[in-house]
Structure formats: structure tokens, C-alpha cells
Amino acid sequence: MDESPLPIISDTTGLSLGYRARWRLKYLGLSIFGPAERSIMSSPRERIKWDRAMMVLRAHEASGTQADELTIYTASRMESRRPK
């Protein structure tokens, strides 16, 4: 499995301005005050990048458009911890 950090996607389809501002603050907080480096699957910083990619991917699916390759790649790198 690829252990490189997930990219921060630039596509903002379906993300409100308020969500993006809160996401940046949360990411900054995790970068400064968060836990030490962890594996991709257990890192809260990587988890919020993945959650953002999943939200964008779902917004593209709802609107019937195709997400870019980086968004699809990021969304496919982790598995959901949420029950289905």
C-alpha cells in the first residue's frame, strides 16, 4: 500500500465557503497541535483530506459530472470507518 501523504485536492465542487474555511482551520490546527506522524490509515490529518475528497466526489456524482483524477485517486486511497 502507498504510504505517501494524501494530496489536498483543489476541486471545491459541493463545498461551501464556510466548510472550506473551517476545513483549513482544522487542518492548520492538526498540523500544529495534532499527533506526531502516523500511518496514513490512523492520521487525523489524512482522514480530513480523505473526507473532503469523498464530499467532492459525491457532489460530482449528484450533479452528474466527472471528478478529476486527483479527487478519484485520493478518495480511493482510504476506506470509510463509518458503518454503512
Side-chain angles (χ1 to χ4, degrees), residues 14-25:
L15 303 178
S16 69
L17 184 59
Y19 173 84
R20 292 184 308 213
R22 284 189 312 274
W23 188 90
R24 289 262 178 216
L25 288 173

Side-chain angles (χ1 to χ4, degrees), residues 1 9-10 13 17 22 25 30 33-35 37 40 43 48 50 53 56-57 59 70 78 80-81 83:
M1 176 170 210
I9 60 168
S10 59
T13 303
L17 184 59
R22 284 189 312 274
L25 288 173
L30 285 171
F33 302 109
E37 293 296 318
I40 296 296
S43 172
I48 66 170
W50 179 81
V56 169
L57 191 60
L70 188 60
M78 295 178 79
S80 177
R81 289 191 227 162

Side-chain angles (χ1 to χ4, degrees), residues 36-55:
E37 293 296 318
R38 294 183 172 183
S39 71
I40 296 296
M41 298 306 282
S42 64
S43 172
R45 200 174 5 191
E46 300 303 315
R47 176 61 51 182
I48 66 170
K49 290 186 217 177
W50 179 81
D51 284 338
R52 178 183 172 127
M54 289 302 295
M55 287 181 70

Side-chain angles (χ1 to χ4, degrees), residues 56-75:
V56 169
L57 191 60
R58 287 188 202 114
H60 275 290
E61 289 173 354
S63 65
T65 58
Q66 178 67 30
D68 64 340
E69 290 181 25
L70 188 60
T71 302
I72 295 169
Y73 169 74
T74 303

